[in-house]
């Protein structure tokens, strides 16, 4: 018999048992670690509101099953700026549906489908009554395995591909066995989970059209070059063209859907600054030093861009951004350990 002390840490949050008037407030406070949520006022007030969350900590991964009534979910630039989370969420819809708009196209995710969230990017979605199963993984663990690590956000995957079907079944089996896994067993399986996720996300995208493989390969080369040269003050579209022997028109086409190559460079630099500010081991560094390390030669321009991107100044983020969300329970005895766990899963 497995000792209870060796089993996976498990946190369960459920609004059942609370007075009707407190249910939505308790849920909104708890889920605010990741999302801002809103529900119909009638549903909130007539006693029909329901939401629950069950989370297992698999070492470096977290598996979460969530059930709720119809809601609107939002992750804004301001939330991203203050929480410092930068991981992927691979979500399986077990029941219900989700509606969202991405790149000016309205989309719908149905039961059996997968949706990918990059928590370093904003989003706004609407869900029906639903139950989902979500695998949360460190960006640092998964991104090196992906051909397009920055192009996964709001990617909708149906069960047409064998890898997607295997990943769906893997998530369901992980959830079924989580209560009986020991921590060492779960950790030993994490590489296999990552490999399966990567195989699914690296599968060819049938919507890309002709020459997609060549275009993807070029984009991967450019993005890796950008990441490797973030601290170079010369990094620019012109520098990339000269260094990689690529035409200007080809470079611009590769980044059209991301708002342009200059924006991609700026966003990557801001993301790196944000992660440095979120890491206490860098508290000894002055802001000017950090800006210089990431190629920002103009302090005022950096300050303006950071505030535009994350909704607060860099100095305010360093001082307050790590601990913005309230941890105080609305009602004693409610299990909110999952909130601390999800904060850990950030690089």
């Amino acid at each position: 018999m497995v000792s209870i002390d060796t089993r996976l840490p498990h946190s369960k949050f459920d609004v059942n048992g609370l007075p009707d008037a407190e249910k939505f407030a308790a849920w909104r406070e708890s889920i605010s670690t990741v999302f801002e949520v809103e529900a119909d006022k009638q549903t909130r007030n007539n006693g029909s509101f329901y939401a629950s969350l069950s989370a297992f900590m698999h070492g470096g991964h977290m598996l979460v099953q969530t059930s709720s009534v119809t809601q609107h979910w939002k992750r804004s630039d301001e939330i991203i700026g203050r929480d410092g989370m930068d991981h992927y969420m691979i979500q399986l819809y077990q029941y219900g549906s989700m509606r969202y708009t991405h790149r000016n196209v309205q989309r719908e995710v149905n039961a059996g489908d997968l949706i990918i969230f990059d928590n370093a990017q904003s989003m706004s979605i609407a869900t029906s009554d639903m139950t989902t199963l979500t695998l949360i993984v460190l960006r640092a663990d998964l991104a090196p395995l992906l051909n397009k690590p920055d192009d996964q956000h709001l990617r909708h995957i149906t069960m047409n591909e064998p890898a997607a079907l295997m990943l769906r079944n893997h998530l369901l089996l992980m959830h079924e066995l989580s209560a009986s896994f020991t921590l060492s067993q779960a950790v030993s399986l994490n590489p296999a989970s990552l490999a399966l996720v990567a195989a699914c996300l690296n599968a060819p995208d049938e919507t890309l059209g002709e020459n997609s493989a060549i275009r993807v390969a070029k984009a991967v080369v450019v993005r890796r070059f950008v990441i490797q040269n973030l601290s170079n003050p010369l990094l620019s579209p012109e520098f990339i063209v000269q260094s990689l022997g690529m035409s200007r028109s080809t470079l611009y086409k590769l980044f059209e859907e991301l708002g342009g190559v200059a924006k991609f460079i700026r966003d990557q630099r801001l993301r790196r600054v944000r992660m440095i500010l979120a890491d206490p081991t860098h508290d000894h560094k002055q802001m000017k030093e950090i800006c210089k390390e990431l190629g920002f030669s103009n302090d005022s321009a950096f300050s303006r861009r950071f505030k535009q991107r994350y909704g607060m100044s860099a100095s305010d983020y360093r001082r307050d951004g790590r601990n913005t969300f309230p941890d105080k329970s609305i009602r004693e005895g409610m299990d909110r350990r999952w909130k601390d766990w999800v904060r850990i899963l950030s690089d």
Side-chain angles (χ1 to χ4, degrees), residues 25-62:
W27 170 247
R28 181 166 56 185
E29 185 274 335
S30 182
I31 203 66
S32 66
T33 300
V34 186
F35 298 108
E36 291 178 355
V37 293
E38 193 55 74
D40 179 75
K41 288 184 179 179
Q42 183 176 357
T43 302
R44 288 158 46 181
N45 297 329
N46 65 8
S48 62
F49 182 82
Y50 174 73
S52 69
L53 183 151
S54 175
F56 286 93
M57 193 66 171
H58 287 244
H61 303 170
M62 186 173 170

Side-chain angles (χ1 to χ4, degrees), residues 61 135 145 167 170 174 186-199:
H61 303 170
L135 181 65
L145 305 179
L167 178 56
H170 180 73
M174 280 183 68
V187 169
S188 68
L189 291 173
N190 282 349
S193 297
L194 283 173
L196 189 52
V197 171

Side-chain angles (χ1 to χ4, degrees), residues 139-248:
R139 173 180 292 276
D141 289 344
L142 182 57
L145 305 179
L146 300 179
N147 295 333
K148 301 184 289 182
D150 298 307
D151 288 349
Q152 302 300 329
H153 188 49
L154 294 177
R155 182 175 171 189
H156 176 202
I157 303 175
T158 63
M159 294 300 107
N160 297 330
E161 294 293 329
L165 183 58
M166 289 179 65
L167 178 56
R168 172 185 177 275
N169 291 336
H170 180 73
L171 293 176
L172 292 171
L173 188 58
M174 280 183 68
H175 180 254
E176 181 182 341
L177 297 177
S178 286
S180 58
F181 271 144
T182 65
L183 184 58
S184 60
Q185 289 171 337
V187 169
S188 68
L189 291 173
N190 282 349
S193 297
L194 283 173
L196 189 52
V197 171
C200 180
L201 300 188
N202 287 336
D205 189 339
E206 300 298 334
T207 66
L208 291 177
E210 295 182 2
N211 299 318
S212 61
I214 295 175
R215 188 163 68 252
V216 167
K218 288 181 179 179
V220 169
V221 170
V222 174
R223 289 167 190 167
R224 287 178 178 168
F225 180 83
V226 169
I227 298 301
Q228 292 168 359
N229 287 274
L230 287 178
S231 61
N232 188 341
L234 298 178
L235 183 62
S236 65
E238 291 74 17
F239 183 75
I240 296 173
V241 166
Q242 295 173 3
S243 300
L244 298 181
M246 182 179 294
S247 72
R248 186 184 301 270

Side-chain angles (χ1 to χ4, degrees), residues 45-169:
N45 297 329
N46 65 8
S48 62
F49 182 82
Y50 174 73
S52 69
L53 183 151
S54 175
F56 286 93
M57 193 66 171
H58 287 244
H61 303 170
M62 186 173 170
L63 188 65
V64 184
Q65 186 177 55
T66 305
S67 296
S68 79
V69 298
T70 300
Q71 288 185 68
H72 181 266
W73 311 66
K74 182 178 181 181
R75 184 162 172 79
S76 65
D77 287 343
E78 183 177 359
I79 294 175
I80 294 169
R82 75 190 184 202
D83 66 24
M85 295 179 189
D86 193 15
H87 40 56
Y88 297 101
M89 300 197 307
I90 297 90
Q91 188 170 92
L92 168 66
Y93 265 72
Q94 296 178 275
Y95 167 79
S97 63
M98 181 188 99
R99 298 172 303 283
Y100 68 105
T101 300
H102 185 50
R103 295 175 179 170
N104 298 319
V105 177
Q106 292 186 345
R107 306 172 189 268
E108 182 168 333
V109 179
N110 296 300
D113 293 348
L114 294 164
I115 181 75
I116 313 302
F117 298 104
D118 180 340
N119 279 349
Q121 301 186 46
S122 60
M123 65 116 194
S124 179
I125 64 173
T127 60
S128 68
D129 293 0
M130 58 80 174
T131 297
T132 63
L133 192 59
T134 305
L135 181 65
I136 306 176
V137 300
L138 288 156
R139 173 180 292 276
D141 289 344
L142 182 57
L145 305 179
L146 300 179
N147 295 333
K148 301 184 289 182
D150 298 307
D151 288 349
Q152 302 300 329
H153 188 49
L154 294 177
R155 182 175 171 189
H156 176 202
I157 303 175
T158 63
M159 294 300 107
N160 297 330
E161 294 293 329
L165 183 58
M166 289 179 65
L167 178 56
R168 172 185 177 275
N169 291 336

